[in-house]
Amino acid sequence: MSAALLVRVLRDPASVEALDAAGWTGLLAAAKAERLIATLAWRIEGRQLPHGVKPILLDARMDAEREARQALWEADRAAHALSAIGVRLVVLKGTAYAAAGLAAGQGRFIGDLDILVPRAAMEAVERALMAAGWEWVKEDAYDDAYYRQWMHELPPMIHAERDRMIDVHHTILPLTARPKPDAAALLADAVAIGDSLWTLSPEDRVIHAAAHMLADGDLQGGLRNLWDIHCLLHDIDRSTLDRRAARHGLRAHVRQAERLADALYGGGAALTAWDRVVRARLLARDGWGRETRKLLVFACYLRSHWLRMPPLMLARHLWTKWRKGHRPR
Amino acid sequence: MRHGLTLRIGPATFRIGSAWRTPIEALARLYAAYPDGGGTVADFTVRLQPTSTLRRWVRPSIFITGDHGLADAAPMSLAHGLLAAEMGMNLQMALGWRRHLLLHASSVEKDGRALVMTGESGSGKSTLAALLGERGWRLMGDEFALLDLDSGAILPFPRLVSLKNQAIGVVADAVAPDRLGPLLRATAKGDIRHMVPRADAVARMSEGAMPALLLFPRFGHEAALRPVGQGEAFMRLTQASTNYVALGEPGFAALTRFVTGVPACAIDFPTGDAAFEMVGRLWEGGA
C-alpha cells in the first residue's frame, strides 16, 4: 500500500511528519520504484525529517539535476544537428519541462530525448541525426518496418559517444490507435523557449501527457505521468483545454486525466468505475517497491496492445514477436 | 516480504527482504556483531525474490533486485542465498551510492593511514586485505573503498569478506571457525566463503583514514614492482569507480587530489608471503 502513502505525501507534504522509520523506508522504496524520489524530495523540502532521510533525498536531487543537465545538453546537440536542415526542435515531456523551468520538471527523472518534427521532414531529420553521430539501437527488420509503417516515431536511436537515446516523433499516438491527434496543430502552436528549442503549448502539453498515459501505454510509471499532469494543469484554463482536447480527439482521455490528477494529487474528484480501475493499477506498489495486483497489471499490459492495434494486426504482431522469443515481463 | 533484516555497514543502511528464511538467518548470524539497523531509515532496499511463483518452492531460484536492479541479472540457487544477499547490497552501492567516490578496491589501515588496493577480480586485492587484517592492520573493506569528497579520507565499508577459490583455504587457516560462513560451492564466481572481519574492524567502521599508498596488486606472477604515474592511476581508478561519472566535478576533484597526493605502485606477487614483504617495504619506505 505504499504507493498510496506516496500519493498522500505528495498531496499533503505535512503528513510526512507523522511517519516512523518503517513508514519512511516504505515511502522511499515506493518513491524510488515509481521514479518519484526526487520529486518527493522537492515536495517535502523544509519539513521535519528523521535522521538519515535528508542525505537520501539530497542524493536523489543531485541525480535529477545531473539528468536534467544532460537532457538539456542532449537537446542542444539535437537542435544543433537539425539547424542545418531548417527544422525547429520541439522537445516533449521531461526535457520540455526542464527547459521551460516548469514545476513538472522539478526533480523529474528524464530518460530519452523525445522530439516532435513534421512527418514530411522525417527522412531529412533521420539523415541529419545520423550525420551528427546518432545510430540505430538495434537492427531488426521486423521492428524497423513496424515502426516506420505503424508507429508515431522512428525506431529509437542512440548517440554513439554520449550513449543517450532519442525518439523522433511525428505525432503523439501510434497511427494504429483510434484517436487521431492533429499533429500539424501541435507544431503550429508550439512555443519557443530560448533561442533554439520549442515546446508544445501549455494545453497541448497536458493533452500529450494524458494521451501518453491513458491512450497508449500499460500505465507503467503512471504515478509519475499523473504527477506531470497535475503540475501541468496548474496554469491552465480547463475549458480551453477541453476545446483543444476535442480537436485532437482526446477529450475523454484528458477528462479522465483531470479527474485522476484531482483525485490523487489535488482537491478530489468524483471517479467513474473505470477511473477506479485505473487508480487501482496506479497504486499497485508495496512498501518493498514491489509491483502488486499482478493480474490487473497484466490486464493493463494486454490492454496497451489492444489500444495500439486492431485485433487481426495484434494477433499477427504477437505471433511474430512470440516466434522471436519475446515474452511479456 | 516474509523475512527481513536491516543492516548498517559503514555509512550505509540496508533493508534486506527475502521470500525465504535461510538467507536472512545466515546474514543474522554473520552480522551479529554489527550495530543494529532496526529503527533506522534504510538507504537501500534489497529484495531476494523468486524468479517466478513456482520457483519459490520448486528448485528455488533467487532474483536479486531492490531500489536498483539489473533486468538481466542471473538467477541464483537458494543454496547461495547468502551470496545473493551480499551481491544485492553491492549492487545498491555500485549503482546508487552518491555520498563518496566509490572505488572498487580493498583498504586496510595502520597508524591512522590507509593502504588502498585496486585491481580486477582475481588480482588478490581482497585476499591481501583479509590477510593483512589478521596481521596487525585494521581491515576497512575488501570490495569498496569510499573516498570522501571533502576531506580526501578513505572511509570503511567493512562488509563480510568474500573469499574465493584458493583464498578460502589460505585465509580459513588463519581465523576461528565461528568467523566463517558456509562454503558455497560452484557459484558463478567459483567456490565462495564469507568471513566476518575482526571485532575492531566492525567497531571502528565509522572511522576513516587518510590514504597513504595505492597499490595495483596482481597475484600469480613473478615478484615485480613498478611505480605507477598519476595519469595512469587516475585513469585506472575512474574505471574502478562505479559512480565517478554520476558525481561530476566533485568526483573529478576528489580523484585528482587522491592521485596527486598518494604514491602508487603496481606489484606482481607469486605468494602471500612475497606480497607481505613487498607491502611492508613500500609502507616503511616512503608511503
Side-chain angles (χ1 to χ4, degrees), chain B residues 17-32:
Chain B
S18 169
W20 305 272
R21 183 191 308 275
T22 48
I24 299 298
E25 278 178 352
L27 283 176
R29 175 171 92 77
L30 294 168
Y31 280 100

Side-chain angles (χ1 to χ4, degrees), chain A residues 141-205:
Chain A
Y142 173 77
D143 284 354
D144 193 70
Y146 185 88
Y147 266 97
R148 285 167 195 280
Q149 190 173 1
W150 299 117
M151 289 297 281
H152 52 311
E153 57 188 332
L154 290 175
M157 301 167 88
I158 193 162
H159 196 274
E161 285 163 23
R162 296 190 301 273
D163 210 30
R164 302 279 295 190
M165 306 253 280
I166 187 168
D167 287 329
V168 182
H169 304 251
H170 59 80
T171 183
I172 55 173
L173 278 178
L175 303 177
T176 46
R178 268 134 269 186
K180 309 288 178 209
D182 183 346
L186 292 170
L187 285 168
D189 289 350
V191 292
I193 13 168
D195 299 333
S196 57
L197 295 182
W198 278 259
T199 73
L200 299 180
S201 73
E203 290 78 21
D204 282 345
R205 280 178 216 143

